[in-house]
Amino acid sequence: MIVEKVVEYLETRTRNAFDTDIDIDIDQYNMAKTVHPLLWVSERWRVAALSIICDNCEINFNTSPKGFSVRYPALPPDFSFPQYNMEKVVKRVVVYAPSWCDLGGGKFSITPSQPKFPTFPSAATLMVCLDEDDVNPPKTTRMHVGSWTECTLAMLNLHSVSGLTSITQGHTTACAPFAQLTYLNASMPNELNLINPEESDWHALIYGDTKTPAVYSSLTKFLLEPIDVPYDRPWAAIEDAVLFPALLELDVSGDYPFNDDVLFRGNGRTLRKLCIPFRALTRNAFGQFNVFGRSGVTRMSLIDIDTVDNLDEDLIVRQTSVCIAQKIHIVLEATKILFL
């Protein structure tokens, strides 16, 4: 602790007061003159200096054999301690995206045999920089955000992002920011993947911060994996709204908490592939709302009904096998192929 305080004093900055405005284009020579003596004092001085000073990392996507290069601006050019994992001490990662000219000119590529991309477990800030002189900046149309750690990505402040055609919420990330972002891009996405939405996330997807439901007029593929919901407390019904009129493929896995036919309204002529949990049958979602009797419905290419869990088994006993058989018969009439 004393060594760290000394290093903080010498560098006039603390590890807990990270300044996101620090210019990362540090003069390597001048920084080396400051850092290098500290690295050679002792092991503890070295660790303290690296963890406090070397908190920035630059990643440039380029035409190197790897497809990218990693640089630590505060690290002395003649740093001779390769045993230290610099990725663990980085607190801010600055990514320089390739320019439109590089992309359009075919200069940008990442080879399949590239080494594993670095990860920075202590980083709290990510900056993505585009070339200010790029006259035709690249337009992001697909976004897939996931985490490989146990921490949950809680915020995604991208309200200004527009024109997204594909949005995927990866594992161990919070659903709410993706639901809000999808609502703001409602007319654009053709593919949407959401994991573990709660009822509030579902309403955010439909209404955002308004009372006006969105219409996902371009959405053709929708993958949804709701969290477990008590069987006697389904999500509140959404009245009248036609949200997904162009769906070709609908995949609901895990649970089926819906108490209405909102997923099927307006897409009788388009829906061709349907994957659902068995609980959709025990909830009588199809019979109650006459899903297969909607206007324009033709035989689907495929209906896939997922495995039965313990709760479903209890419900099957209550509803009798004859009732379940009748529901399966209705499904058989609506599809060319049925997977159970």
Side-chain angles (χ1 to χ4, degrees):
M1 178 62 71
I2 295 176
V3 171
E4 292 176 356
K5 292 297 183 182
V6 173
V7 175
E8 289 177 358
Y9 173 77
L10 292 175
E11 290 302 311
T12 66
R13 54 187 300 202
T14 65
R15 66 168 69 240
N16 296 323
F18 181 69
D19 185 355
T20 58
D21 294 327
I22 292 176
D23 184 3
I24 67 167
D25 294 323
I26 304 170
D27 184 284
Q28 292 279 334
Y29 178 73
N30 290 333
M31 180 55 69
K33 290 193 298 184
T34 303
V35 176
H36 205 268
L38 300 179
L39 300 179
W40 286 93
V41 173
S42 71
E43 177 75 12
R44 292 191 176 183
W45 281 85
R46 190 175 303 127
V47 171
L50 291 175
S51 64
I52 295 173
I53 300 170
C54 299
D55 49 10
N56 287 305
C57 171
E58 287 183 11
I59 298 178
N60 274 278
F61 288 99
N62 50 41
T63 56
S64 69
K66 293 181 180 180
F68 63 89
S69 61
V70 181
R71 187 173 77 92
Y72 303 90
L75 206 61
D78 56 347
F79 182 70
S80 56
F81 304 96
Q83 71 272 26
Y84 288 94
N85 187 343
M86 298 305 301
E87 297 172 13
K88 293 183 178 180
V89 301
V90 169
K91 301 180 184 67
R92 178 175 68 166
V93 179
V94 181
V95 176
Y96 287 94
S99 70
W100 178 254
C101 293
D102 287 341
L103 288 171
K107 299 178 182 178
F108 173 71
S109 65
I110 297 182
T111 61
S113 59
Q114 71 178 35
K116 182 180 178 182
F117 197 78
T119 58
F120 305 95
S122 299
T125 303
L126 171 65
M127 295 177 61
V128 180
C129 301
L130 301 176
D131 188 348
E132 294 182 357
D133 297 328
D134 209 346
V135 293
N136 293 305
K139 184 175 181 179
T140 300
T141 59
R142 301 175 63 85
M143 186 179 71
H144 183 157
V145 180
S147 173
W148 283 266
T149 65
E150 292 301 322
C151 62
T152 299
L153 177 66
M155 297 300 296
L156 190 67
N157 296 321
L158 295 174
H159 286 186
S160 61
V161 174
S162 61
L164 292 175
T165 61
S166 177
I167 300 174
T168 297
Q169 172 205 356
H171 290 285
T172 63
T173 57
C175 183
F178 291 88
Q180 296 163 3
L181 183 65
T182 304
Y183 179 85
L184 295 173
N185 286 266
S187 63
M188 296 299 297
N190 51 50
E191 181 176 351
L192 175 61
N193 303 279
L194 296 179
I195 298 175
N196 292 338
E198 298 181 356
E199 186 171 10
S200 58
D201 303 325
W202 180 241
H203 280 264
L205 179 72
I206 297 173
Y207 294 108
D209 295 326
T210 72
K211 295 183 179 180
T212 304
V215 178
Y216 293 94
S217 55
S218 299
L219 191 65
T220 58
K221 185 177 181 180
F222 189 13
L223 280 70
L224 188 65
E225 188 177 338
I227 59 176
D228 293 335
V229 177
Y231 189 80
D232 58 347
R233 291 199 295 275
W235 292 351
I238 305 296
E239 301 294 339
D240 302 325
V242 178
L243 306 178
F244 312 107
L247 276 186
L248 293 173
E249 180 177 344
L250 174 62
D251 187 337
V252 182
S253 60
D255 202 347
Y256 195 88
F258 306 101
N259 198 28
D260 55 26
D261 61 341
V262 67
L263 290 171
F264 301 97
R265 294 176 196 159
N267 52 40
R269 296 181 184 275
T270 62
L271 192 60
R272 289 294 176 268
K273 181 178 179 181
L274 175 63
C275 301
I276 53 171
F278 195 88
R279 196 164 303 174
L281 294 182
T282 58
R283 286 188 185 277
N284 197 21
F286 298 140
Q288 181 180 355
F289 301 105
N290 193 29
V291 167
F292 298 122
R294 297 167 296 149
S295 174
V297 170
T298 57
R299 288 172 69 87
M300 295 185 191
S301 302
L302 169 68
I303 295 180
D304 187 340
I305 301 177
D306 205 353
T307 54
V308 178
D309 62 21
N310 293 335
L311 177 58
D312 291 327
E313 291 178 358
D314 294 340
L315 294 170
I316 290 172
V317 171
R318 285 188 237 162
Q319 295 188 15
T320 75
S321 58
V322 174
C323 180
I324 297 297
Q326 291 174 345
K327 295 173 182 178
I328 293 291
H329 184 73
I330 294 174
V331 174
L332 277 169
E333 292 181 345
T335 183
K336 297 177 182 178
I337 300 175
L338 173 64
F339 280 133
L340 286 175

